[in-house]
């Protein structure tokens, strides 16, 4: 392995050691015992993605509002809530990492 590969592997291990990643993994493991609930969460996530990526800007607020109302009771299920909260924290951490890397390498072009 070359030096950058070794350093990347170290970075990946550092991310995996974070409490955010560990909590996300715990929540994923809990869901494995509930395949029907996991399927419903996957459907929720897919629908959310489609609304955010396939809705005209002038309709986005109304569609998201309706979506949130439709899934309000579903999101109150403790296992669903805990998984979605852990996933959101993990995604935000990855976004922050990506932002820092992007800024570091793209600052020369601004």
């Amino acid at each position: 392995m070359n030096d950058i590969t070794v350093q990347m592997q170290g970075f990946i291990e550092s991310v995996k050691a974070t409490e955010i990643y560990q909590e996300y993994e715990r929540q994923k493991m809990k869901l494995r015992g509930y395949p029907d609930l996991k399927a419903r969460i996957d459907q929720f996530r897919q629908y959310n993605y489609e609304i955010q990526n396939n809705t005209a800007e002038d309709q986005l607020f109304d569609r998201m509002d309706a979506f949130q109302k439709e899934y309000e009771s579903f999101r109150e299920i403790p296992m669903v809530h805990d998984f979605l909260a852990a996933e959101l924290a993990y995604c935000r951490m990855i976004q922050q990492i990506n932002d820092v890397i992007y800024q570091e390498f793209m600052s020369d072009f601004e």
Side-chain angles (χ1 to χ4, degrees), residues 35-96:
D36 292 341
L37 187 58
K38 182 176 181 321
R40 289 179 61 201
I41 289 173
D42 289 344
Q43 179 184 22
F44 166 86
R45 292 159 67 215
Q46 180 64 35
Y47 187 32
N48 184 30
Y49 176 84
E50 288 173 7
I51 289 172
Q52 291 187 32
N53 290 286
N54 298 320
T55 302
E57 192 174 320
D58 63 331
Q59 298 174 344
L60 186 56
F61 178 80
D62 291 336
R63 290 205 59 206
M64 285 303 297
D65 188 49
F67 170 74
Q68 288 178 357
K69 288 176 183 172
E70 178 181 350
Y71 280 94
E72 184 174 14
S73 63
F74 176 68
R75 292 177 61 216
E76 290 175 357
I77 298 170
M79 192 175 291
V80 172
H81 175 270
D82 293 349
F83 172 78
L84 292 174
E87 182 180 57
L88 179 61
Y90 174 65
C91 288
R92 286 185 174 156
M93 180 178 69
I94 296 300
Q95 287 173 337
Q96 185 178 29

Side-chain angles (χ1 to χ4, degrees), residues 14-26 86 93:
S14 295
V15 169
K16 288 181 175 181
T18 65
E19 180 57 33
I20 290 171
Y21 179 82
Q22 294 294 317
E23 179 62 18
Y24 177 57
E25 286 298 308
R26 280 191 291 274
M93 180 178 69

Side-chain angles (χ1 to χ4, degrees), residues 87-108:
E87 182 180 57
L88 179 61
Y90 174 65
C91 288
R92 286 185 174 156
M93 180 178 69
I94 296 300
Q95 287 173 337
Q96 185 178 29
I97 290 167
N98 286 333
D99 288 347
V100 169
I101 292 169
Y102 177 82
Q103 288 301 318
E104 184 65 29
F105 287 103
M106 298 307 291
S107 63
D108 293 342

